[in-house]
Amino acid sequence: MYFAALLARTEDGWEASDTELDDVETLSDLADLAREASPDEDTVLVLIEQEDSWFGVVRIDGEEDPRIYVSDAAAAARSSYGEILLTDELLGRDSDADDDLDALDLDGTEDGEDGSDEDEGSAADAVPHGPVGDPGILDDLGVGVKELKSLSADALTEIAEALGASEVLETVR
């Protein structure tokens, strides 16, 4: 199970709406969905949580590039919704270089392994355990880096409380 919600900051405070991510295939699709929630180009947060195993925050400020924080990249990589957030850029990969190396099948050979059984696990192995992205994503909204990194179970509720948006988030839960 996963939960996803949009929190849009307006003149009157935060407005929440739940959202289905079934039609979202890329980070660009997700950013477009978030921008639709705030016609005035205010800050919009996309909050995603999957069964207390990981959570993600995507921040959209007008037409700027999305900022992303994922609490556990390895756990998120096992989720189709997490894969949307875990872009090559976020993971520090050069997608063109990865394609070239995959074509050469060099993964693991430097350790004396033949790499023949590595195809399925190699992408997941390259994803770090733990947080990735911008830990300062919510600094100006009252959730500091240390606080964000220390969140685990029920993280979205704690973020919403810090933002003063817990009541509106609970209405869409």
Side-chain angles (χ1 to χ4, degrees), residues 26-28 30-31 44-48 54-61 64-73 76 81-91 130-138 148-149:
T26 66
L27 181 59
S28 180
L30 186 61
V44 178
L45 302 176
V46 180
L47 305 174
I48 303 172
W54 67 274
F55 70 91
V57 178
V58 179
R59 179 175 178 162
I60 310 292
D61 292 304
E64 292 182 28
D65 287 341
R67 294 170 55 194
I68 305 167
Y69 177 81
V70 176
S71 66
D72 186 338
Y81 303 113
E83 289 177 354
I84 293 168
L85 306 180
L86 298 174
T87 62
D88 286 339
E89 182 180 339
L90 186 71
L91 295 172
V132 295
D134 181 359
I137 193 170
L138 301 174
L148 187 63
K149 286 185 173 184

Side-chain angles (χ1 to χ4, degrees), residues 9-166:
R9 187 167 58 178
T10 68
E11 293 176 0
D12 301 325
W14 292 97
E15 292 181 7
S17 58
D18 63 339
T19 186
E20 288 293 324
L21 300 179
D22 295 340
D23 295 331
V24 175
E25 295 180 9
T26 66
L27 181 59
S28 180
D29 293 344
L30 186 61
D32 291 343
L33 181 70
R35 286 184 182 105
E36 289 172 12
S38 179
D40 296 329
E41 295 189 7
D42 291 322
T43 298
V44 178
L45 302 176
V46 180
L47 305 174
I48 303 172
E49 181 176 61
Q50 185 151 16
E51 294 182 354
D52 296 329
S53 66
W54 67 274
F55 70 91
V57 178
V58 179
R59 179 175 178 162
I60 310 292
D61 292 304
E63 291 300 318
E64 292 182 28
D65 287 341
R67 294 170 55 194
I68 305 167
Y69 177 81
V70 176
S71 66
D72 186 338
R78 294 186 293 269
S79 159
S80 59
Y81 303 113
E83 289 177 354
I84 293 168
L85 306 180
L86 298 174
T87 62
D88 286 339
E89 182 180 339
L90 186 71
L91 295 172
R93 295 180 186 157
D94 179 10
S95 59
D96 294 336
D98 283 351
D99 292 343
D100 294 342
L101 291 177
D102 287 343
L104 295 174
D105 195 26
L106 297 175
D107 190 26
T109 56
E110 61 274 355
D111 295 326
E113 299 170 359
D114 66 4
S116 60
D117 295 333
E118 297 288 322
D119 291 340
E120 288 184 47
S122 62
D125 292 340
V127 176
H129 291 275
V132 295
D134 181 359
I137 193 170
L138 301 174
D139 268 348
D140 63 324
L141 299 174
V143 181
V145 172
K146 278 186 172 182
E147 186 178 355
L148 187 63
K149 286 185 173 184
S150 70
L151 296 175
S152 56
D154 213 17
L156 299 189
T157 299
E158 292 182 42
I159 290 170
E161 285 175 8
L163 299 174
S166 57

